[in-house]
Amino acid sequence: MKTNKKKYLIIIIVLCLAFVVTGASYAWFADRSNPSIEGNDMQVAAADGLIIILDPDSAGQSLVNINALINDVDEFELKQVSSADANTFYTIDFGNGITLSNPEFVLVDTTQDMVTKGYVDFDFFLATEEYPKHVYIHNDSYITGPGADAIRMSISVTDTESNSETIIFGTEAENGITNDYTTKAVITTGTFTYGNIPSNYVTNQLVRTFDYKDGGKWLNNDNPIDLNKTLVDIPAHSLVPVNIKIWLEGGDDDCDNTIASTYVDVLLKFGSADILLSAPSLTGNANYTITGLTTDMEWATSNTTGTVWTAVTNPNMTFTGMNSVYVRKAEVVGISPASYATEVRFN
């Protein structure tokens, strides 16, 4: 299925105040702002081999319009919230104003609809058709624009074995190893003195960039699949639940007045690769034949996405003059995908 390259368009219009946590700049917004999601451009796409369904009994589709999931999109405002785990969310309540009372971090009721919560939160399923799939974030995905650095997107997936994983994505990685932690996400309710948020009220937010789960294909779609960088494996004719949240992270240093009246463009696209059969066990011989070769295999001199494979018609065929070849089990259309390839050397 081919998909149109749609995007999320989020217009950010903000007023914000700066706070201090142990000497560092900590941005949190004032008691009201009105970032808004505009138009019908909020969509999630799935590449060939995957379909998106909103519930187990609904028809599959390659695009989902998020606006259709919001009760009153005209009233939707992207409000400043904070979360360290993309599960529990906090916002700031200024009460009657800082001249009369201290501000307070309060829990967001996550059971409310998106208009009330002030961030995008929706569930759907990713489903496979005739072949099992490795699923990853396609390299068409992006978050750009003047306000992009304050946006967070979480993806939560539960596989068919009930294993769950939630990952928070942003424009800059924060892992405390190769990239410093800079976001201080709120982790508790409580009042505080204006300009002095207690350090135990916040924690580091682990943030990944999309290439963390790109299947090894961020720089080149022709790269072989990297199984350490996939989101989930889905068996054939199966579906797995997915949740996506998009929010304006109040604990990010970049969430300040400089993004007032600006925007971000966000596109999320899921890519997939066939889960292949195991590579055949083969041995190259000095006479340029291959022990274990069968006519249900195919061979080539390279092993990339663009490789043209040749069917084996004679299991005793010779590969005279070649140092090595790649051999795999051929696809049986409608029954099984091809296998991983074995490099067979003759010397």
Side-chain angles (χ1 to χ4, degrees):
M1 299 178 186
K2 293 185 177 179
T3 60
N4 296 322
K5 192 172 182 180
K6 298 290 186 180
K7 56 189 177 183
Y8 303 99
L9 178 59
I10 303 174
I11 305 299
I12 299 177
I13 308 170
V14 300
L15 297 173
C16 50
L17 301 173
F19 293 86
V20 176
V21 178
T22 61
S25 175
Y26 182 81
W28 254 97
F29 287 80
D31 55 343
R32 179 165 176 80
S33 62
N34 59 343
S36 61
I37 293 177
E38 180 178 286
N40 296 310
D41 293 325
M42 293 188 61
Q43 299 186 359
V44 173
D48 291 351
L50 287 175
I51 55 176
I52 298 170
I53 58 177
L54 297 183
D55 61 68
D57 297 323
S58 66
Q61 50 195 304
S62 59
L63 291 172
V64 170
N65 184 340
I66 301 176
N67 283 9
L69 305 178
I70 298 175
N71 291 338
D72 190 348
V73 68
D74 291 334
E75 295 298 318
F76 183 80
E77 295 179 344
L78 190 64
K79 301 171 184 177
Q80 303 81 7
V81 295
S82 185
S83 180
D85 59 6
N87 180 44
T88 305
F89 284 79
Y90 299 86
T91 189
I92 193 168
D93 183 359
F94 285 90
N96 296 319
I98 58 175
T99 59
L100 299 176
S101 62
N102 287 329
E104 180 182 7
F105 289 128
V106 295
L107 277 170
V108 175
D109 183 353
T110 57
T111 65
Q112 295 173 328
D113 63 18
M114 286 186 273
V115 172
T116 306
K117 289 188 293 191
Y119 60 86
V120 173
D121 179 5
F122 70 100
D123 301 294
F124 58 95
F125 295 87
L126 281 177
T128 53
E129 297 178 296
E130 64 266 29
Y131 291 143
K133 294 288 184 178
H134 302 292
V135 179
Y136 57 90
I137 298 178
H138 195 279
N139 60 11
D140 283 348
S141 303
Y142 57 78
I143 305 174
T144 61
D149 291 344
I151 292 294
R152 296 292 184 270
M153 173 186 290
S154 68
I155 302 175
S156 301
V157 184
T158 302
D159 67 18
T160 54
E161 301 297 322
S162 298
N163 300 306
S164 299
E165 182 177 23
T166 298
I167 306 173
I168 296 175
F169 294 96
T171 60
E172 298 181 10
E174 301 179 27
N175 57 34
I177 303 172
T178 57
N179 305 86
D180 292 338
Y181 286 113
T182 58
T183 298
K184 298 296 183 183
V186 178
I187 56 173
T188 188
T189 60
T191 60
F192 54 93
T193 304
Y194 175 71
N196 185 22
I197 298 175
S199 59
N200 64 310
Y201 277 33
V202 297
T203 192
N204 294 321
Q205 185 187 70
L206 180 63
V207 183
R208 308 292 191 181
T209 49
F210 285 147
D211 59 356
Y212 176 67
K213 289 294 184 179
D214 66 350
K217 296 174 176 287
W218 196 257
L219 298 179
N220 188 342
N221 274 324
D222 289 337
N223 288 343
I225 190 73
D226 183 344
L227 300 183
N228 294 314
K229 302 188 73 176
T230 57
L231 280 169
V232 65
D233 289 348
I234 310 178
H237 303 291
S238 300
L239 53 81
V240 297
V242 181
N243 173 267
I244 291 177
K245 297 183 177 74
I246 304 171
W247 72 95
L248 194 60
E249 175 53 62
D252 190 307
D253 284 344
D254 293 305
C255 199
D256 59 25
N257 279 325
T258 64
I259 65 172
S261 300
T262 61
Y263 65 91
V264 295
D265 292 339
V266 181
L267 169 69
L268 177 64
K269 182 177 180 180
F270 293 100
S272 71
D274 288 342
I275 296 179
L276 304 181
L277 303 175
S278 57
S281 178
L282 304 167
T283 302
N285 304 313
N287 64 352
Y288 296 99
T289 62
I290 299 176
T291 299
L293 193 66
T294 66
T295 55
D296 64 356
M297 298 178 186
E298 53 193 7
W299 68 276
T301 56
S302 63
N303 183 25
T304 67
T305 302
T307 292
V308 176
W309 295 85
T310 301
V312 174
T313 57
N314 177 8
N316 299 312
M317 68 182 296
T318 60
F319 299 84
T320 304
M322 299 183 185
N323 292 324
S324 65
V325 295
Y326 293 91
V327 181
R328 69 181 189 179
K329 299 172 187 174
E331 175 185 4
V332 180
V333 176
I335 298 177
S336 65
S339 75
Y340 291 101
T342 298
E343 183 180 12
V344 182
R345 294 184 176 275
F346 301 107
N347 51 28

